[in-house]
Amino acid sequence: MNLMSRVTRLGCALAFCCLALVLWGVPGTRALNNGLAMTPTMGWLHWERFMCNVNCQEEPDSCISEKLFLQMADLMVSDGWKDAGYQYLCIDDCWMAPQRDSKGRLQADSNRFPNGIRHLADFVHSKGLKLGIYADAGNKTCAGYPGSYGYYDIDAKTFADWGVDLLKFDGCYCDSVKHLADGYKQMSLALNRTGRSIVYSCEWPLYAWPFVKPNYTEIRQYCNHWRNSADIYDSWQSVRSILDWTSSNQESVVPAAGPGGWNDPDMLVIGNFGLSQDQQVTQMALWAIMAAPLFMSNDLRHISPEAKGLLQNKDVIAINQDPLGKQGYRLRKNDNFEVWERPLSNLAWAVAVVNLQDIGGPRSYTIPIASLGKGLACNPACLITQLLPVKTKLGFYEWTKSLKTQINPTGTVLLRLESASKIASKSSL
Ligand code: GLA
């Protein structure tokens, strides 16, 4: 039976499928109304790789300084990062001078940022990039620099005057859950009042979780993305614990994500020291499934061709940036395998199969096709392409068939499933 006749025979099933997906695609809760982050933000953020290194005497190439950001800005353009979608160059903690200026404004450390932040923003903008900065809702930043408590409007205005395009707002040194919530809300409103488009990156739920279950409907109305889980480290254990946290809490967090507001599982550590190639594949694949903001924290001056290829993989980035804006979830966990899936636009689906066993060699896993995409992804058939670890066209699969995969220890196979009916209707146009 050819593809068209299969599609015709199963018209009813498809009509149901379309209806279900349209209903499912109805946006949930309202997002922060600043028109930003309609897809997850992409960029570079200094923290995981460069931390709070302020020793420019001993380590001039890796201290938090204007020089570091100028170099990264150049490379983001010359090495294809900007073209791949990584647009926001973001400063984390430790950029500030230890005191505010005489007018109560934050100021950059004058030794490390001799030309100030506005100059850096101008340079970054001249390259077609955007600049991110960091501050904290409490009395101090996590590293002990001046906090924004009591200064929300002044700080928002200062950042807008400098031409900043993103604020990562941390939650250290808040005295209470109320202070935390008020701080995040007030800064959101203060940024809005500046009239400048500034992506607002929060850590509100991370700091709230030990005390209350965060209200994601409310958080989404104030933030463009929000951290839920502990800081990422350059290790497999850390990546794994973030995946475990996310899947254990998926009923709470997945419905909160959508255009304008995203769960943030923290930076990509691909290109550093702690993850094997298979583990880097797992991070990239799962951050795409989770519709995560993609902030690399690595050294773009020294990065392997493999890591660069993975981070710039267009097919995987297309899944992360899919305009439907639905976050994926863990579908199944058995025998140390996990299957995750994410609905995409045009009735397509992304599926990731992770082999969590960190002993032995590659293991095979067989997926019944009918179990994917709520039973709809391949009804009556779909075209499957393996995107990671290596792009391979696997061909058409009917609903009744199974797909056998082979996965390295701690690695992932990432698949894209295109609805056969969509392909048929496109080719008959
Ligand atoms: C917290 C945040 C990190 C980083 C540091 C900076 O730990 O979660 O992402 O910003 O503070 O001090």
Side-chain angles (χ1 to χ4, degrees), residues 41-230:
T41 311
M42 294 176 65
W44 185 92
L45 176 61
H46 93 238
W47 185 256
E48 193 288 321
R49 179 63 190 254
F50 295 97
M51 301 189 73
C52 192
N53 185 348
V54 292
N55 189 350
C56 292
Q57 296 294 330
E58 304 253 331
E59 293 176 290
D61 291 331
S62 49
C63 65
I64 307 314
S65 69
E66 176 182 289
K67 186 176 135 193
L68 181 71
F69 291 94
L70 295 176
Q71 288 183 344
M72 292 304 160
D74 277 335
L75 287 167
M76 279 174 81
V77 177
S78 64
D79 286 4
W81 301 103
K82 181 184 156 214
D83 287 346
Y86 297 93
Q87 198 187 12
Y88 286 80
L89 175 63
C90 302
I91 308 172
D92 207 288
D93 206 348
C94 306
W95 62 271
M96 296 174 197
Q99 308 293 339
R100 290 174 176 269
D101 73 6
S102 57
K103 294 187 172 147
R105 293 173 302 195
L106 291 171
Q107 49 188 346
D109 181 286
S110 59
N111 291 321
R112 293 181 288 116
F113 293 85
N115 297 294
I117 303 296
R118 189 203 295 257
H119 173 267
L120 182 56
D122 289 346
F123 180 78
V124 165
H125 294 153
S126 77
K127 295 256 153 196
L129 300 168
K130 294 185 179 293
L131 185 71
I133 208 159
Y134 168 101
D136 189 290
N139 300 306
K140 287 190 263 181
T141 73
C142 298
Y145 289 85
S148 294
Y149 180 62
Y151 293 88
Y152 299 129
D153 269 299
I154 295 178
D155 291 353
K157 187 164 179 317
T158 305
F159 298 146
D161 289 347
W162 287 344
V164 161
D165 307 291
L166 178 150
L167 174 65
K168 172 173 172 177
F169 206 42
D170 213 333
C172 276
Y173 298 104
C174 287
D175 304 332
S176 62
V177 196
K178 182 171 175 346
H179 173 173
L180 181 77
D182 288 350
Y184 274 103
K185 290 187 209 173
Q186 284 181 38
M187 185 51 106
S188 181
L189 299 173
L191 290 172
N192 195 273
R193 280 193 290 274
T194 68
R196 187 171 172 85
S197 289
I198 300 177
V199 172
Y200 187 39
S201 172
C202 301
E203 300 199 34
W204 180 1
L206 167 63
Y207 290 95
W209 267 112
F211 307 101
V212 285
K213 183 169 188 254
N215 177 348
Y216 283 97
T217 308
E218 185 178 39
I219 289 168
R220 185 174 162 76
Q221 286 165 14
Y222 289 96
C223 301
N224 290 120
H225 18 95
W226 48 85
R227 285 268 310 281
N228 294 313
S229 45

Side-chain angles (χ1 to χ4, degrees), residues 145-414:
Y145 289 85
S148 294
Y149 180 62
Y151 293 88
Y152 299 129
D153 269 299
I154 295 178
D155 291 353
K157 187 164 179 317
T158 305
F159 298 146
D161 289 347
W162 287 344
V164 161
D165 307 291
L166 178 150
L167 174 65
K168 172 173 172 177
F169 206 42
D170 213 333
C172 276
Y173 298 104
C174 287
D175 304 332
S176 62
V177 196
K178 182 171 175 346
H179 173 173
L180 181 77
D182 288 350
Y184 274 103
K185 290 187 209 173
Q186 284 181 38
M187 185 51 106
S188 181
L189 299 173
L191 290 172
N192 195 273
R193 280 193 290 274
T194 68
R196 187 171 172 85
S197 289
I198 300 177
V199 172
Y200 187 39
S201 172
C202 301
E203 300 199 34
W204 180 1
L206 167 63
Y207 290 95
W209 267 112
F211 307 101
V212 285
K213 183 169 188 254
N215 177 348
Y216 283 97
T217 308
E218 185 178 39
I219 289 168
R220 185 174 162 76
Q221 286 165 14
Y222 289 96
C223 301
N224 290 120
H225 18 95
W226 48 85
R227 285 268 310 281
N228 294 313
S229 45
D231 288 6
I232 197 159
Y233 279 56
D234 187 12
S235 74
W236 171 240
Q237 187 201 5
S238 171
V239 169
R240 221 197 128 158
S241 72
I242 291 171
L243 293 176
D244 286 345
W245 189 94
T246 307
S247 51
S248 312
N249 292 281
Q250 58 187 8
E251 279 78 19
S252 311
V253 301
V254 169
W262 310 98
N263 292 293
D264 178 4
D266 212 359
M267 293 157 269
L268 292 167
V269 293
I270 297 167
N272 292 323
F273 306 96
L275 301 186
S276 70
Q277 179 62 20
D278 286 303
Q279 293 160 357
Q280 298 184 57
V281 164
T282 295
Q283 191 184 28
M284 194 68 191
L286 272 294
W287 264 234
I289 294 276
M290 291 189 291
L294 299 181
F295 288 107
M296 305 178 280
S297 193
N298 50 19
D299 188 343
L300 301 178
R301 297 165 300 189
H302 308 285
I303 186 159
S304 71
E306 292 78 21
K308 186 176 173 193
L310 185 57
L311 288 162
Q312 295 192 1
N313 186 309
K314 286 193 169 50
D315 297 317
V316 183
I317 291 174
I319 290 175
N320 176 269
Q321 296 286 300
D322 186 85
L324 185 64
K326 292 265 170 207
Q327 179 172 340
Y329 48 84
R330 190 175 71 190
L331 175 68
R332 191 176 313 139
K333 180 181 169 73
N334 67 293
D335 189 22
N336 248 334
F337 286 105
E338 289 189 359
V339 182
W340 292 60
E341 63 178 19
R342 174 178 175 185
L344 303 172
S345 48
N346 291 323
L347 306 182
W349 287 77
V351 173
V353 188
V354 193
N355 174 7
L356 288 170
Q357 191 157 290
D358 48 9
I359 185 170
R363 293 193 301 152
S364 55
Y365 186 79
T366 301
I367 319 168
I369 291 291
S371 70
L372 297 174
K374 315 233 176 238
L376 302 169
C378 297
N379 186 353
C382 61
L383 180 61
I384 304 186
T385 308
Q386 177 183 296
L387 302 180
L388 291 175
V390 186
K391 188 166 182 177
T392 319
K393 289 186 175 154
L394 302 180
F396 279 98
Y397 280 76
E398 290 174 20
W399 202 63
T400 49
K401 296 282 169 11
S402 290
L403 173 69
K404 190 173 171 191
T405 54
Q406 270 272 325
I407 315 148
N408 289 348
T410 65
T412 293
V413 165
L414 179 66

